[in-house]
């Protein structure tokens, strides 16, 4: 190997700098459930990231994006904080992202300003998260945003008496509050409010309470994963469907990756949500093709993938706006108010809430070919984060 004199090496380096040919590697640290009961949600984070890079490349200007993954199998605020610290200090990440559960996002928030690091939330959906730090941006949804429209649906369908059933943590409280307030404002009655520990897996006693209440419908929220499968099955097994109790929920309970297992038991279920894999549009067609390849089995594709895909879009915009420099405040400022066409439809990052304003869809679980889809049958355009309070 021929060695150049030191002077020539220095001159060559200066020439490369002058032409911008020396690229930096911008590291993005992604925390999510890549193992354990919620592992498919983590796989969807990665599928969304891989789809973004397949369609848009790994570089922004002269800088290359490198993603560093850390596994957080279940909600664990202390571990989430430790992982975030390790990513910033040991791995040198310039951006943090991912986060499936709200308690983990809340634990990380106090670190961000000292670390000069933005956090882009791919999923966690409690409205209050973005209030915890000006350096948090969300690309998913909030529970008030997806819950309140269902109250409109319930009223339009003549339902008068509803029991709310939610997991007892931040998003559940948001879902319960948003649906209840909107439904009561339309003249409906909340017969009972039931909150369940996150670890609940036997839902038969709850279904019996709902049936005994004489309610026309139940409105439910649980985080997508094994509990939602058990909850939907319990609704049928305990005779609520046969008794005419209408099932209403956010889209978490009928995520596409669960539909093959649920089958006809959820046919006709009504949910309100920001995304369906069956959404009709060219952006979604390209996304589903790329993300389906990335995840390996397209039947596993579900909503966290689109939050990650658009999260990478936002991070790429931040890198572009800051020229690859680490300036968290400038990075966040650059994406306030941006509007883009997502696989889910039009999205605006609201400058105040730093969460998406987007279309929320009423979906019905319907048979399609040899499987089932969440078929969009009504839309609520330009829905903001309805839980944001100054």
């Amino acid at each position: 190997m021929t060695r150049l004199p030191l002077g020539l090496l220095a001159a060559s380096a200066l020439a490369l700098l002058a032409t911008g040919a020396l690229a930096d590697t911008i590291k993005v640290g992604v925390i999510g459930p890549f193992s354990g009961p919620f592992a498919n949600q983590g796989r969807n984070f990665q599928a969304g990231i891989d789809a973004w890079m397949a369609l848009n490349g790994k570089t922004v200007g002269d800088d290359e994006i490198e993603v560093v993954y850390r596994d957080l199998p279940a909600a664990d605020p202390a571990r989430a904080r430790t992982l975030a610290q390790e990513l910033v200090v040991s791995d040198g990440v310039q951006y943090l992202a991912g986060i499936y559960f709200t308690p983990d996002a809340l634990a990380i928030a106090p670190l961000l300003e000292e670390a000069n690091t933005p956090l882009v939330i791919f999923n966690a959906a409690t409205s209050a998260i973005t209030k915890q730090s000006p350096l948090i941006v969300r690309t998913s949804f909030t529970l008030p945003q997806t819950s309140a429209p269902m109250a409109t649906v319930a009223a339009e369908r003549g339902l008068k008496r509803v029991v709310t059933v939610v997991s007892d943590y931040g998003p559940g409280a948001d879902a319960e509050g948003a649906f209840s307030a909107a439904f009561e404002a339309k003249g409906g009655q909340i017969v009972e409010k039931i909150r369940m520990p996150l670890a609940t897996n036997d839902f038969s006693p709850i279904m019996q309470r709902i049936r005994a209440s004489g309610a026309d419908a139940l409105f439910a929220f649980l985080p997508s994963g094994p509990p939602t499968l058990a909850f939907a099955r319990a609704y049928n097994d305990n005779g609520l469907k046969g008794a005419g109790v209408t099932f209403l929920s956010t889209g978490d309970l009928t995520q596409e990756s669960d539909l093959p297992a649920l089958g006809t038991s959820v046919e006709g279920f009504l949910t309100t949500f920001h995304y369906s894999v069956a959404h009709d549009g060219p952006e979604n067609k390209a996304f589903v093709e790329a993300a389906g390849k990335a995840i390996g089995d397209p039947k596993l594709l579900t909503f966290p993938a689109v939050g990650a895909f658009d999260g990478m879009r936002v991070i790429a915009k931040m890198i572009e706006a800051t020229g690859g420099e680490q300036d968290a405040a400038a990075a966040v400022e650059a994406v306030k108010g941006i509007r883009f066409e997502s696989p889910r439809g039009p999205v605006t990052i609201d400058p105040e809430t730093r969460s998406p304003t987007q279309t929320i869809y009423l979906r019905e679980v319907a048979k399609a070919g040899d499987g089932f889809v969440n078929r969009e049958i009504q839309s609520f355009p330009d829905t903001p984060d309805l839980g944001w309070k100054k």
Side-chain angles (χ1 to χ4, degrees):
M1 178 178 177
T2 303
R3 294 184 179 274
L4 292 173
L6 288 174
L8 288 177
L9 283 172
S12 298
L14 287 172
L16 287 169
L17 285 170
T19 60
L22 281 181
D24 286 332
T25 297
I26 307 294
K27 291 184 178 181
V28 178
V30 176
I31 299 172
F34 299 104
S35 68
F38 298 94
N40 192 53
Q41 312 307 91
R43 291 182 67 182
N44 271 270
F45 279 177
Q46 189 163 3
I49 292 167
D50 289 347
W52 171 261
M53 291 183 170
L55 295 174
N56 298 278
K58 296 182 179 181
T59 59
V60 178
D62 294 325
D63 301 316
E64 182 172 340
I65 300 174
E66 176 186 341
V67 181
V68 182
Y69 292 96
R70 290 291 181 269
D71 183 23
L72 189 63
D76 186 342
R79 181 64 180 155
R81 182 182 177 93
T82 297
L83 289 174
Q85 288 174 321
E86 289 176 356
L87 283 164
V88 170
V89 175
S90 301
D91 295 284
V93 304
Q94 197 164 316
Y95 296 89
L96 289 168
I99 313 301
Y100 190 66
F101 289 105
T102 286
D104 303 323
L106 297 178
I108 292 170
L111 306 175
L112 300 176
E113 290 190 68
E114 184 178 354
N116 190 25
T117 305
L119 170 61
V120 180
I121 299 285
F122 291 174
N123 183 72
T126 303
S127 289
I129 289 173
T130 55
K131 284 182 172 291
Q132 309 310 305
S133 170
L135 301 181
I136 298 176
V137 177
R138 181 176 7 228
T139 56
S140 53
F141 63 101
T142 69
L143 263 302
Q145 187 178 52
T146 58
S147 300
M150 186 55 88
T152 299
V153 173
E156 289 175 350
R157 292 179 177 240
L159 300 171
K160 302 295 185 183
R161 292 163 51 83
V162 176
V163 173
T164 61
V165 193
V166 302
S167 293
D168 192 9
Y169 75 130
D174 272 6
E176 175 191 271
F179 177 87
S180 299
F183 189 58
E184 289 173 340
K186 295 179 181 298
Q189 178 186 355
I190 303 299
V191 177
E192 187 175 358
K193 296 180 179 180
I194 300 172
R195 293 190 180 184
M196 309 169 290
L198 265 174
T200 302
N201 53 35
D202 179 7
F203 300 103
S204 291
I206 291 167
M207 295 301 168
Q208 291 165 15
R209 283 172 64 183
I210 295 169
R211 188 169 181 179
S213 73
D216 304 319
L218 67 86
F219 169 78
F221 163 76
L222 295 81
S224 290
T228 56
L229 279 164
F231 188 91
R233 286 176 175 146
Y235 167 81
N236 284 288
D237 293 346
N238 286 272
L240 273 73
K241 188 173 186 178
V245 179
T246 302
F247 189 102
L248 310 172
S249 76
T250 60
D252 308 81
L253 277 88
T254 64
Q255 65 170 341
E256 284 79 6
S257 56
D258 289 344
L259 292 180
L262 291 168
T264 57
S265 66
V266 294
E267 189 171 4
F269 276 21
L270 298 174
T271 62
T272 40
F273 218 38
H274 65 299
Y275 177 66
S276 167
V277 173
H279 179 72
D280 186 18
E283 291 82 8
N284 192 47
K285 183 178 179 181
F287 165 73
V288 168
E289 182 177 356
K293 288 179 182 176
I295 205 166
D297 181 355
K299 290 182 180 179
L300 296 177
L301 194 63
T302 187
F303 67 94
V306 81
F309 183 84
D310 287 333
M312 293 306 294
R313 182 198 307 269
V314 164
I315 290 169
K317 178 66 176 176
M318 290 176 168
I319 294 169
E320 178 186 20
T322 57
E325 296 298 318
Q326 186 156 357
D327 186 337
V332 170
E333 193 64 32
V335 299
K336 290 181 179 178
I338 64 167
R339 185 174 177 84
F340 52 86
E341 193 66 25
S342 163
R344 69 190 100 170
V347 171
T348 302
I349 301 299
D350 182 272
E352 183 177 24
T353 68
R354 286 164 279 119
S355 286
T357 294
Q358 58 192 324
T359 301
I360 301 302
Y361 303 93
L362 172 64
R363 305 104 48 81
E364 181 179 41
V365 178
K367 194 162 181 58
D370 60 352
F372 292 88
V373 298
N374 287 301
R375 181 168 57 90
E376 295 168 354
I377 58 176
Q378 187 177 345
S379 62
F380 300 86
D382 297 321
T383 304
D385 175 7
L386 297 168
W388 178 265
K389 297 179 179 64
K390 291 185 178 180

